[in-house]
Amino acid sequence: MAFTGSRRQFLRCALAGAAGLALQPYARTAMANRDAHRPPNIVVIFTDDMGWGDIGVFGHPTIRTPNLDRMAAEGQKWTSFYVAASVCTPSRAGLMTGRYPVRSGMASDRRRVLFPNSNGGLPQSELTIAGALKQVGYATACIGKWHLGHLPEFLPTEHGFDSYYGIPYSNDMARTREGDYIAMNKNPRVEYFNVPLMRDTEIIEQPADQTTITRRFTEETVNFIKANRDRPFFAYLAHSMPHVPLFRSDAFEDVSRAGRYGDVIEEIDWSAGRIMDTLRELELADNTLVLFTSDNGPWNLLFTTHAGLPGPFRGGKGTTWEGGVRVPTIFWWPGTIQPGVVMDMGTALDMLPTFAALAGVSLPDDRVYDGYDLSPVLLNEASSPRDSFIYYRGEQVYAARRGAYKAHFITQGAYGSGRERTEHEVPELYNVEIDPAERKDIAEEHPDIIAEIRAMVERHKATVEPVENQLTK
Ligand code: MG
């Protein structure tokens, strides 16, 4: 049974279920099971630069994603799910810490992400999802792209992960030749990008063979799950694809009607299927929460056919339009999550408090969190506690959403788009439920709503304290 965004509609669905459809009380049963056994395993599958519109069930016409479509049919498809930033490093800092990246120094107006010559990274003082779950005995593995600092003190093994297998920064970095960056990415060769593959703290391959990287990250995750089947585990599988340069294994070469980009997504879909099949085979599916989502919107504005689609949304990677930060999101937990479509807001910032609640972890109260516990929504007991979202570009608030209304205080195009940074004395205002593509500025009709959003932003800003910037270090 699908349910939709508003509290009223949700209640109506819930009452209909209670009245006559004889639905199982999944949530209560699952709670009882968890109490009797152990906290749930958690698997986060995090793709890089995948667009909202790149999955069949999110509307792509020619990319085949049968596994993700099934995952959505069996789980919850979230249509208003955001990440904390529209580029890699700050988005990942937000996911891992439950805090806007400006709070940890992981956002910058001058260098938007970490590079191979960066000296900074996620500070030791930050508590990650892995660090929190370790406190209650979870086995933890980071597999894939990290991008929160490649120097020894910033690696995943210093942030609560028992093990690490992956690349420490983006797959388009450490270029071995000069020349046209876009052309190099559109006609890529492995040796153009001298990206290291690491195991724990050691480099084991350089350049990483990116043609097999999605397959190898997947097998590593499957092996981790098998090895830890008898204890709670957290697997963070952060694919480096479909960030340019696009690579796929031989088995996925020229298989998609959507070209090379489609091949890459279809391999990621295969990967998600492998994970879910493994969980079923090991009889762990009913005690494992799987989240599938992306770190930011597609790089469509620069890479066209070598990038994804933002679905119905405006803009893409690098922008604070919806296409930059609204990402395709599926939660799967057979027997516990009741299938449905959730139109309420959720964000990657909410994952730390959500997972902590499910695992029974108390978070330290010495810092500001920006996340909400979404577990009541996952367990089908409530509508989302989140009614607002702040859109950052670097260290600055560009826009804010409250309910259906989103105000843009500053607008700017993506890299190389030609649209200059513009500060708006009267913000642009959109109703992103009626107008998800942000086409019709309705600011003139709603000065009261703008005032409310402005006040909300000021309250938020008052909680942000200056810290050392890690990206410009
Ligand atoms: Mg990214």
Side-chain angles (χ1 to χ4, degrees):
M1 180 178 69
F3 60 87
T4 57
S6 79
R7 190 177 304 265
R8 198 179 310 120
Q9 284 165 309
F10 170 79
L11 284 175
R12 197 181 304 138
C13 288
L15 289 171
L21 298 177
L23 292 169
Q24 292 300 313
Y26 287 102
R28 196 167 304 143
T29 310
M31 278 294 197
N33 288 346
R34 276 208 306 286
D35 291 345
H37 296 95
R38 64 182 204 192
N41 311 307
I42 295 169
V43 178
V44 173
I45 306 174
F46 205 52
T47 57
D48 195 353
D49 292 9
M50 186 169 174
W52 195 94
D54 292 343
I55 301 174
V57 72
F58 281 80
H60 199 286
T62 46
I63 297 177
R64 287 170 303 190
T65 55
N67 293 294
L68 292 169
D69 295 351
R70 179 180 174 188
M71 188 182 181
E74 295 175 352
Q76 286 182 358
K77 169 186 162 184
W78 286 57
T79 62
S80 301
F81 196 93
Y82 294 93
V83 281
S86 63
V87 291
C88 299
T89 297
S91 169
R92 285 150 204 270
L95 168 71
M96 277 294 138
T97 65
R99 289 151 50 79
Y100 279 109
V102 70
R103 298 192 194 278
S104 54
M106 295 295 281
S108 162
D109 297 336
R110 286 197 288 135
R111 290 197 108 184
R112 298 189 67 188
V113 298
L114 290 166
F115 289 90
N117 65 358
S118 297
N119 293 311
L122 189 67
Q124 295 278 350
S125 55
E126 293 294 326
L127 177 69
T128 65
I129 292 172
L133 295 176
K134 268 217 84 58
Q135 293 171 9
V136 288
Y138 276 62
T140 55
C142 176
I143 296 151
K145 171 172 160 177
W146 177 236
H147 215 178
L148 293 175
H150 65 281
L151 298 178
E153 64 268 36
F154 303 120
L155 288 171
T157 46
E158 294 293 319
H159 275 296
F161 289 99
D162 299 329
S163 62
Y164 173 47
Y165 176 78
I167 64 173
Y169 39 72
S170 292
N171 60 324
D172 66 332
M173 292 180 174
R175 289 193 289 280
T176 57
R177 57 194 63 207
E178 302 292 313
D180 184 337
Y181 169 70
I182 293 177
M184 200 183 306
N185 274 289
K186 286 189 170 180
N187 300 285
R189 298 174 68 93
V190 165
E191 60 269 26
Y192 293 172
F193 308 92
N194 198 32
V195 177
L197 178 70
M198 304 184 73
R199 185 171 291 284
D200 300 328
T201 58
E202 304 294 325
I203 293 173
I204 57 169
E205 184 179 300
Q206 193 168 16
D209 180 357
Q210 296 196 43
T211 60
T212 55
I213 209 158
T214 297
R215 179 165 59 73
R216 288 191 287 167
F217 287 164
T218 305
E219 296 306 336
E220 186 80 10
T221 306
V222 166
N223 291 339
F224 169 76
I225 291 170
K226 287 180 175 170
N228 291 283
R229 59 184 297 178
D230 295 324
R231 58 183 288 204
F233 60 78
F234 169 52
Y236 174 48
L237 167 55
H239 285 296
S240 51
M241 295 289 137
H243 191 297
V244 289
L246 299 175
F247 290 101
R248 69 290 202 218
S249 59
D250 290 348
F252 286 88
E253 201 172 316
D254 300 328
V255 298
S256 176
R257 289 174 71 151
R260 189 179 181 112
Y261 186 83
D263 289 350
V264 169
I265 299 297
E266 292 187 18
E267 188 163 22
I268 287 172
D269 177 76
W270 162 83
S271 170
R274 271 288 280 146
I275 305 291
M276 291 187 291
D277 287 348
T278 300
L279 293 168
R280 286 194 194 95
E281 285 160 20
L282 298 174
E283 299 185 345
L284 294 172
D286 67 351
N287 198 38
T288 304
L289 172 64
V290 182
L291 163 65
F292 182 96
T293 191
S294 176
D295 74 329
N296 51 250
W299 216 348
N300 53 329
L301 303 167
L302 200 55
F303 284 99
T304 57
T305 56
H306 278 245
L309 292 168
F313 305 113
R314 180 171 172 176
K317 174 176 179 172
T319 75
T320 44
W321 299 105
E322 293 293 286
V325 287
R326 210 194 276 211
V327 286
T329 302
I330 304 167
F331 289 92
W332 184 82
W333 187 353
T336 296
I337 288 180
Q338 189 164 336
V341 176
V342 177
M343 298 179 187
D344 285 357
M345 262 189 269
T347 76
L349 295 163
D350 305 325
M351 295 303 96
L352 175 77
T354 301
F355 298 160
L358 291 169
V361 180
S362 311
L363 295 174
D365 60 5
D366 61 348
R367 63 200 70 198
V368 176
Y369 297 98
D370 297 297
Y372 292 85
D373 171 13
L374 302 183
S375 63
V377 193
L378 300 177
L379 301 175
N380 204 3
E381 292 165 346
S383 53
S384 175
R386 177 178 282 283
D387 192 44
S388 64
F389 181 66
I390 309 280
Y391 302 68
Y392 272 91
R393 179 170 172 138
E395 297 152 78
Q396 297 171 53
V397 173
Y398 268 48
R401 177 176 169 185
R402 188 164 181 270
Y405 293 96
K406 176 180 174 186
H408 291 264
F409 302 99
I410 308 171
T411 51
Q412 188 172 2
Y415 308 112
S417 68
R419 183 163 177 185
E420 294 303 315
R421 183 181 187 281
T422 309
E423 289 188 30
H424 302 277
E425 198 166 320
V426 176
E428 291 184 16
L429 185 74
Y430 300 91
N431 180 322
V432 293
E433 296 203 333
I434 292 170
D435 180 21
E438 299 173 272
R439 294 168 299 184
K440 171 81 174 125
D441 180 2
I442 52 173
E444 272 187 25
E445 302 156 39
H446 297 291
D448 50 334
I449 290 170
I450 289 172
E452 284 171 14
I453 296 177
R454 220 188 265 284
M456 179 185 87
V457 170
E458 291 312 313
R459 286 196 299 276
H460 164 75
K461 283 181 175 173
T463 69
V464 178
E465 291 172 7
V467 293
E468 181 183 24
N469 196 289
Q470 297 292 329
L471 307 193
T472 56
K473 225 163 129 175

